[in-house]
Amino acid sequence: MHLDWTALGQVTAVSIGVTVAVVCVFALGVLGLARTDDSREHPDGARALGLTQAALCFLACAAVVAYGIYLIVPQFH
Amino acid sequence: MDHITFLVAVVIVTALAFDFTNGFHDTANAMATSIATGALKPRTAVLVSGMLNIAGAFLSTEVARTISGGIVDDTLVSPAMIFAGLVGAILWNLVTWLAGLPSSSSHALFGGLIGAVWVGAGADGVHFEKVVEKVLIPAVASPVVAGVAALIATYLAYKLTERARKETVTKGFRIGQIASASLVSLAHGTNDAQKTMGVITLTLISAGALGHEAGPPVWVIASAGLAIGLGTYLGGWRIIRTMGKGLTEIQSPQGFAAETASTTVILTSAHLGFALSTTQVASGSILGAGLGRRLAEVRWGVAGRMVAAWLITLPAAALVGGLAASVVKHGGNAGTAVIALVALALATVIVLASRRNPVHANNVNDDQAVTLRTAAPTHVGTAA
């Protein structure tokens, strides 16, 4: 029996790395949104900053989703 | 179409029936956590999932060239054995559905085929070292990897957002869940619908109705896609309840982490050529997400029963497949008809048994447990 430990290790490392990265970036985006909600009472730079943070983070997640769709759909390869 | 004998027609119908059970068994993988957290309404969730499964079926051009991926000797496989194997897989899928247990449809199919080939062509036809390499190792490794990924991600998600407003966090992750759950569904459609297409195409080739290197005809793609999509749409609510509510209480950050972990494990494995079970990956992710939130309760009793179901899926389906194969082998067309009728009768009994305590779109989130009886127990009428 031949067992490809390298591939198994790769799956493990990539899966954990990508999952943690995506969820953390998304959490940061949500944090940005929460900051926007908090600063609604006293609108200053914090609101714009929070919004920018959220936009950048969600954009990064959308890019990962797009790559995921690219991987799933064989016609793109 | 004079190549389509009675047996071939029966195999095609049975393969589509398996595809259907595959669909409703696996809706939970993609949608259970989204339904549990309220990210999607139950009916919307199964509709989205069903559509994406059909889309996935049409997108996947790379149809399996072998039925089993080398687990059994494909040159020895006859349509009769495929039929017997499918019957084993379908019945096992129905029994686990009745018990609300998420078990692997791929393992059921492999198990059924192994049993049928063992009886039909002898033990030499089964490549046991391949079974270990292609089924057992991924079955152990993939839920663990998905679980660890979901655990770390969940822990960090809660850590990062602990000071933020709770409603914003819940709402944000709910929206994220819609995307992550949809990706799981699409990946599922491209993987699982093509299994059935592979079975039907190879049966048609072995019957001489198609050339040797032929791809699946359009009607095969369409019917396989529709069968799995319809199965997904009708929704295996019993399994959705177990995965969304039974294993642990899921909140939207956990659901997002679990679905992201499932998607990445499925995609990286497929990319590197590992066969794995979507069901086991999704269950592992949900358990990991349950452990990652502090104080979240994981119901180990439910998890234990689920793992037990994983362990017996392959042998149980093999047993039924083997039994069916011996009848078909000795009984010819009459035997095939008998097995088809018996399988139909058993399926009806199981569906009727599920009616005694039905789980559907309107009550899926009301309870954690899937039981067979509503009132005081008199007897338990299931083999599971």
Side-chain angles (χ1 to χ4, degrees):
Chain A
M1 189 186 71
H2 163 75
L3 194 59
D4 195 345
W5 287 106
T6 327
L8 200 62
Q10 267 178 318
V11 170
T12 310
V14 172
S15 302
I16 294 177
V18 171
T19 307
V20 171
V22 168
V23 173
C24 282
V25 170
F26 195 88
L28 288 175
V30 171
L31 215 58
L33 277 189
R35 204 164 288 165
T36 323
D37 284 352
D38 286 343
S39 55
R40 204 162 268 168
E41 297 86 46
H42 38 93
D44 53 0
R47 192 173 151 74
L49 199 69
L51 218 55
T52 320
Q53 180 184 335
L56 284 177
C57 290
F58 292 143
L59 208 65
C61 288
V64 177
V65 171
Y67 185 64
I69 293 174
Y70 167 80
L71 284 182
I72 295 172
V73 182
Q75 279 85 344
F76 290 156
H77 293 232
Chain B
M1 295 296 249
D2 49 331
H3 292 291
I4 311 256
T5 58
F6 168 71
L7 187 58
V8 172
V10 171
V11 171
I12 293 170
V13 172
T14 320
L16 291 174
F18 167 76
D19 203 23
F20 179 82
T21 64
N22 191 163
F24 81 63
H25 222 274
D26 291 4
T27 324
N29 299 338
M31 291 301 173
T33 57
S34 299
I35 292 171
T37 62
L40 286 165
K41 289 211 171 63
R43 284 193 198 286
T44 321
V46 292
L47 183 65
V48 168
S49 189
M51 298 295 240
L52 287 170
N53 267 316
I54 296 176
F58 277 96
L59 287 172
S60 61
T61 49
E62 192 57 42
V63 169
R65 288 262 163 229
T66 63
I67 291 176
S68 64
I71 286 172
V72 293
D73 189 341
D74 280 310
T75 55
L76 295 177
V77 176
S78 66
M81 291 179 211
I82 298 175
F83 166 71
L86 285 167
V87 167
I90 292 172
L91 288 180
W92 183 249
N93 262 354
L94 287 175
V95 168
T96 47
W97 164 73
L98 182 64
L101 289 173
S103 66
S104 167
S105 300
S106 338
H107 285 191
L109 181 59
F110 289 155
L113 279 174
I114 289 172
V117 170
W118 195 331
V119 169
D124 296 343
V126 183
H127 299 156
F128 289 101
E129 73 287 356
K130 282 276 180 194
V131 175
V132 174
E133 184 189 326
K134 296 230 172 191
V135 182
L136 289 185
I137 304 279
V140 174
S142 61
V144 173
V145 173
V148 171
L151 191 154
I152 302 173
T154 304
Y155 177 79
L156 290 172
Y158 276 95
K159 198 88 196 150
L160 281 170
T161 56
E162 68 187 348
R163 294 227 183 85
R165 271 175 38 167
K166 201 136 188 304
E167 310 102 86
T168 317
V169 173
T170 304
K171 224 168 77 187
F173 277 107
R174 265 190 199 155
I175 294 169
Q177 268 198 289
I178 297 173
S180 56
S182 300
L183 271 189
V184 179
S185 288
L186 192 63
H188 182 255
T190 50
N191 278 321
D192 281 24
Q194 58 136 297
K195 259 185 249 161
T196 307
M197 285 182 224
V199 169
I200 297 178
T201 309
L202 289 163
T203 309
L204 289 172
I205 290 174
S206 75
L210 282 175
H212 264 282
E213 288 298 304
V218 177
W219 66 266
V220 173
I221 301 177
S223 55
L226 278 176
I228 201 166
L230 198 66
T232 309
Y233 176 64
L234 286 176
W237 300 108
R238 305 175 86 81
I239 299 171
I240 292 176
R241 178 184 280 178
T242 301
M243 286 181 90
K245 288 270 163 189
L247 286 172
T248 181
E249 284 305 321
I250 290 276
Q251 294 180 350
S252 65
Q254 292 171 292
F256 183 72
E259 283 159 4
T260 310
S262 301
T263 317
T264 27
V265 171
I266 292 167
L267 288 184
T268 43
S269 310
H271 203 60
L272 289 167
F274 269 103
L276 47 68
S277 149
T278 323
T279 310
Q280 296 180 346
V281 170
S283 318
S285 301
I286 292 173
L287 281 179
L291 290 173
R293 174 159 68 94
R294 263 181 294 174
L295 299 177
E297 177 193 6
V298 169
R299 295 187 193 91
W300 292 110
V302 178
R305 276 200 295 148
M306 181 183 76
V307 172
W310 292 356
L311 292 177
I312 48 176
T313 290
L314 203 142
L319 201 69
V320 183
L323 222 69
S326 70
V327 175
V328 172
K329 193 179 169 188
H330 298 113
N333 271 356
T336 309
V338 167
I339 287 295
L341 287 176
V342 169
L344 206 62
L346 285 173
T348 313
V349 168
I350 292 173
V351 170
L352 287 178
S354 78
R355 291 277 169 83
R356 290 167 63 191
N357 189 10
V359 180
H360 44 74
N362 301 324
N363 72 357
V364 64
N365 281 340
D366 295 352
D367 198 357
Q368 305 150 358
V370 174
T371 49
L372 279 178
R373 46 190 191 270
T374 39
T378 45
H379 70 286
V380 180
T382 168

